[in-house]
Amino acid sequence: MVDESGKKPVERPVGFAKGLTNYGDREFSVYLRRSFASSMGYSREMLDRPIVGIAHSASGFNNCHRHFPELIDAVKRGVLAAGGLPIEFPTISLGETFLTPTSLKFRNLMSMDVEEMTRAQPMDSVVLLGGCDKTVPAQLMGAASADIPAIQLVAGPMSTSRHRGERLGACTDCRRFWARFRAREIDAQEIEVVERRLASTAGTCAVMGTASTMAIIAETLGMMPANSAACPAVDADRLRIAEETGRVAFDLIGKPIRPSEIITEKSVENALRVLLAIGGSTNAVIHLTAIAGRLGHKVDLNRLNALSETTPVLVNLKPTGEHYMEDLYAAGGVPAILREIRHLLHLECRMVTGETLGDRLDNVTWVDESVVRPFAQPVRETGGLVALFGNLAPRGAILKRSAADPRLFEAEGRAVVFDSLEDLANRIDSDDLDVTADDFLVLRNAGPTSDSAMPEAGYLPIPGKLARAGVKDMVRMSDARMSGTAYGTIVLHITPDAASGGPLGLVRNGDRIRLSVANHSLELLVADEEMKRRAAALPARPASRAKRGYAKLYEREVLQADEGCDFQFLK
Ligand code: FES
C-alpha cells in the first residue's frame, strides 16, 4: 500500500514487537520475546495485539489500594473487548501512613519507576492505577516525562462508617477525635473503638484530602474519563469506570493524544481553579507544580493568588465543610463543580477521551446544591488557598484559608519556636512551655531539604495546657506540609526552608511576626541588620549527611516547594 506521495508508509511496530531487547538481530529479538511471552499461555492472536500496560501500585503496605486486583480485572476486560492485550505490572507503592520519614521523599522515586518502566517495556499505551496521596502525582509526573499515551484511573474514596450515631471518615475525623482525646474529652477505650472505625473500606481518604484533590485535579486536567474521580472505591460504578478506562486506553493507541497534549498551561490553570473551588489540599500545589514542571509549565504563586480572588469555594466537604466524597459523587461529581465555574475555565482543553472540556460539561444535567453550591451562593466567597510572601517567606508560603479561622487572618503574635520535630514532640505538652493562645507557634527544619524531608507535621498540635483550656485554633507556621484532611490557621511550605538557610531559621523566641491574609504577607518584625547578624552567626551546614543510595540522590537533587520538590535532574 502506498500513500498519495507514492511512498510506502513506515509501519511502526506495536505490542511485543516494539522496544526490543537488543541482541543485534531484530528478528531474533522478536522471536525470542514471543517465545518467552508464549510461556505465559498467550495465543498467537494475543501476541500480535497492541499492548495496553497497566501500571499499578497495589501493595500489602497500602490499605487504600486493597481492591486493585478487582479493578485491574475490569481494566483488562475493557482492553480485551476493544481488541488489545492488557498487561499489568507493579511499580513502587506509597502507602501514606506506612513510610518513614514521609511518603513525599519517595514520590520522585516512584515517578522515575513509572517513567522508565513504561518506556522500557513494550506497551502502546498505559493505564496508571493509583490513588493514595503521592501515587497519582508520581504517576502523572512519570507519564508526563515518558509522554506515551496514558490515562489515569484512581482507587476512589473510602465509604464512611458510624460511631455512636456519627458518620466517620478518614481522616478529618481522625484529627477531630484525637484532639478530643488530647483534651481528655474522651477516654482511651473510646479512641480505640474510633481507631477501628475510621477507615473501614478499601479506597482513599473519604474527605477532600490530598488523594481526593489529586483525583479531581487529574480529571480536570483531562487525564481521566468524565465523572471518574469521586466515585467510591466499593461502588459498582468504579468497576465500570475501570472497564471504560481500559477501552479508552486502547483507543489512544496511534492517536496524538499524549500527556503533553493534555497537560498544558491552560489545563494547569483549570486545575488551579478547581483546586481553589473545592477547598483542596495544600499538598496539591506542590504536586501540580511538579507535574506541570515536567512539561515546562510553571505554577506561579502570584497567579494562584489572582485566581483565588475570583474563584469561590463551592464544595461543602470536610475539612472545609460538612460532607464526604461519597456525597460529592451522589451530588454530580466533578462535572457538577466544573459546570459552576465554567465561565472561568479554558473550555477548549482536550481530554484524554478525545472531546474538549466544554463538550464534557454540556452533559451535566443535575447537581445537589447542598454539596456543590451554585456559583452565586458559595461556601466561601474566595478560593480555598492563598500564597503569602514576605521577609519570612521570600519564595512563598501557603495558607488554606478555607480551613482556617478568619478571626486570625490579620494578626500579630509572639514567636514560640521549635527547632525540629523532636523538639516539638519533647516540649509541646510541657506545662512549663511559655505559650498563650495569642502566640504564633513556629516549627522549622521540617522542609524538603531537612532530614525529615517535609513531612505532614505542619498541623502543630495545640499545646496540651491550652487544649485542655479549650483553645481550638491558633496561628501555626512551618516549612513542613500538612495533610489535606487537616484544618486550622496554619501557614505551610515556608520557602526557602530553614535547613537550606532560609529566614525561618533566624526566628527567635519572643520575636514578633505579622500575618496578613488580606495583604498576602508574612513578616518577621526584626530589622534587616539584625537578620543579617543572625544569618552570619548560623553554624555552617554539613556538606552532606546522607551516606549513600537514594538518600544521597534526594539530598543532592531535591528542589524547594515552589518548584514542586521535584529533582533538579528530572525537570
Ligand atoms: Fe491513602 Fe489517605 S491514607 S489516601
Side-chain angles (χ1 to χ4, degrees):
M1 170 108 52
V2 292
D3 65 17
E4 285 164 6
S5 65
K7 288 190 190 138
K8 192 174 174 198
V10 182
E11 266 189 32
R12 292 232 180 104
V14 295
F16 281 121
K18 70 182 289 188
L20 292 171
T21 316
N22 200 345
Y23 297 111
D25 175 347
R26 193 182 176 283
E27 297 309 315
F28 174 74
S29 296
V30 175
Y31 153 78
L32 200 68
R33 178 175 285 172
R34 280 209 184 114
S35 164
F36 279 77
S38 295
S39 77
M40 293 185 273
Y42 292 122
S43 64
R44 184 60 192 259
E45 191 234 318
M46 286 293 162
L47 290 177
D48 286 341
R49 286 186 173 196
I51 294 174
V52 174
I54 305 167
H56 70 81
S57 46
S59 159
F61 287 109
N62 198 328
N63 59 295
C64 302
H65 297 182
R66 77 167 151 92
H67 57 319
F68 275 14
E70 201 182 13
L71 280 182
I72 291 167
D73 277 350
V75 174
K76 287 181 176 174
R77 213 157 57 222
V79 174
L80 285 167
L85 175 63
I87 298 190
E88 65 175 281
F89 61 101
T91 66
I92 293 169
S93 186
L94 304 176
E96 195 56 26
T97 57
F98 297 96
L99 289 155
T100 186
T102 175
S103 60
L104 181 63
K105 182 168 183 179
F106 305 101
R107 183 202 61 183
N108 298 345
L109 181 63
M110 181 174 171
S111 82
M112 289 162 67
D113 184 354
V114 172
E115 175 185 348
E116 299 304 335
M117 288 302 104
T118 52
R119 199 185 272 135
Q121 298 174 130
M123 64 195 80
D124 300 285
S125 68
V126 64
V127 174
L128 309 162
L129 176 51
C132 199
D133 291 15
K134 311 300 177 297
T135 57
V136 170
Q139 289 175 333
L140 290 174
M141 289 161 74
S145 293
D147 207 26
I148 78 162
I151 180 167
Q152 184 78 55
L153 174 64
V154 294
M158 291 180 206
S159 301
T160 54
S161 73
R162 296 284 188 284
H163 171 66
R164 297 189 177 171
E166 260 189 275
R167 273 175 100 187
L168 283 191
C171 218
T172 303
D173 296 326
C174 316
R175 293 169 207 289
R176 187 164 60 83
F177 274 90
W178 191 249
R180 290 182 62 194
F181 177 62
R182 278 176 53 79
R184 299 185 188 156
E185 290 170 18
I186 60 171
D187 60 18
Q189 219 176 357
E190 185 170 355
I191 198 75
E192 203 184 305
V193 174
V194 170
E195 182 184 292
R196 281 198 303 277
R197 300 302 306 153
L198 283 165
S200 58
T201 73
T204 49
C205 286
V207 297
M208 193 56 80
T210 305
S212 303
T213 305
M214 289 313 303
I216 292 171
I217 281 180
E219 184 175 330
T220 306
L221 282 170
M223 288 297 294
M224 304 207 303
N227 202 13
S228 60
C231 175
V234 298
D235 196 301
D237 278 352
R238 174 61 54 202
L239 295 172
R240 281 183 277 275
I241 290 165
E243 190 180 301
E244 182 193 353
T245 301
R247 282 179 193 273
V248 176
F250 178 79
D251 285 349
L252 283 175
I253 296 171
K255 296 204 178 121
I257 308 177
R258 290 167 184 265
S260 56
E261 302 292 317
I262 296 168
I263 303 169
T264 62
E265 223 163 277
K266 287 185 174 175
S267 70
V268 169
E269 186 156 307
N270 286 343
L272 279 175
R273 284 278 189 200
V274 87
L275 169 62
L276 295 162
I278 61 179
S281 164
T282 46
N283 285 317
V285 180
I286 291 179
H287 297 320
L288 186 58
T289 301
I291 294 162
R294 290 293 179 96
L295 292 163
H297 309 306
K298 187 167 167 47
V299 170
D300 178 352
L301 293 181
N302 285 303
R303 183 69 184 144
L304 175 80
N305 278 343
L307 299 177
S308 196
E309 293 314 307
T310 53
T311 314
V313 177
L314 298 177
V315 179
N316 184 12
L317 248 65
K318 291 182 181 225
T320 297
E322 49 191 332
H323 295 286
Y324 294 86
M325 281 298 283
E326 60 193 4
D327 305 320
L328 174 62
Y329 186 59
V334 176
I337 307 166
L338 297 177
R339 188 184 72 161
E340 290 304 316
I341 56 169
R342 183 185 177 119
H343 58 291
L344 300 175
L345 298 173
H346 301 289
L347 297 173
E348 70 278 23
C349 287
R350 182 139 312 275
M351 308 282 100
V352 73
T353 35
E355 78 274 44
T356 65
L357 178 60
D359 296 336
R360 268 193 186 182
L361 300 188
D362 290 340
N363 298 324
V364 184
T365 51
W366 182 83
V367 176
D368 178 348
E369 295 186 353
S370 68
V371 179
V372 180
R373 298 273 180 82
F375 188 82
Q377 295 158 35
V379 177
R380 305 265 170 134
E381 298 285 335
T382 49
L385 304 178
V386 65
L388 307 170
F389 297 91
N391 66 351
L392 199 47
R395 286 164 58 183
I398 294 286
L399 172 75
K400 187 172 183 178
R401 61 177 161 185
S402 60
D405 184 348
R407 286 174 306 169
L408 297 172
F409 283 5
E410 308 300 318
E412 188 186 309
R414 184 183 67 130
V416 176
V417 181
F418 299 92
D419 252 323
S420 65
L421 292 161
E422 294 72 31
D423 185 26
L424 176 74
N426 289 338
R427 293 195 295 125
I428 191 73
D429 285 338
S430 164
D431 285 341
D432 297 335
L433 185 67
D434 177 15
V435 67
T436 72
D438 296 328
D439 292 336
F440 288 8
L441 302 183
V442 177
L443 168 68
R444 63 186 171 212
N445 294 313
T449 71
S450 72
D451 290 341
S452 55
M454 208 179 187
E456 293 187 338
Y459 178 70
L460 308 189
I462 302 292
K465 63 181 182 184
L466 297 182
R468 290 194 295 280
V471 175
K472 297 277 186 251
D473 195 9
M474 59 192 293
V475 176
R476 291 159 272 178
M477 58 189 66
S478 72
D479 45 11
R481 296 176 300 116
M482 171 174 93
S483 163
T485 62
Y487 47 88
T489 310
I490 298 174
V491 178
L492 302 155
H493 312 178
I494 291 180
T495 306
D497 66 349
S500 66
L504 187 65
L506 306 179
V507 184
R508 291 188 181 164
N509 277 319
D511 284 350
R512 308 288 300 174
I513 298 174
R514 186 179 298 139
L515 165 70
S516 171
V517 175
N519 296 330
H520 302 151
S521 69
L522 186 66
E523 298 286 347
L524 179 63
L525 304 180
V526 169
D528 286 353
E529 282 310 307
E530 172 61 14
M531 296 272 275
K532 280 185 196 142
R533 258 196 302 277
R534 291 183 188 179
L538 279 181
R541 198 180 185 209
S544 175
R545 287 149 297 132
K547 291 196 178 62
R548 57 171 297 283
Y550 181 68
K552 191 117 189 136
L553 182 69
Y554 178 91
E555 181 186 77
R556 197 184 69 207
E557 295 290 335
V558 74
L559 297 167
Q560 293 284 321
D562 61 341
E563 297 189 80
C565 300
D566 202 356
F567 286 165
Q568 177 68 50
F569 79 103
L570 292 174
K571 279 175 80 80

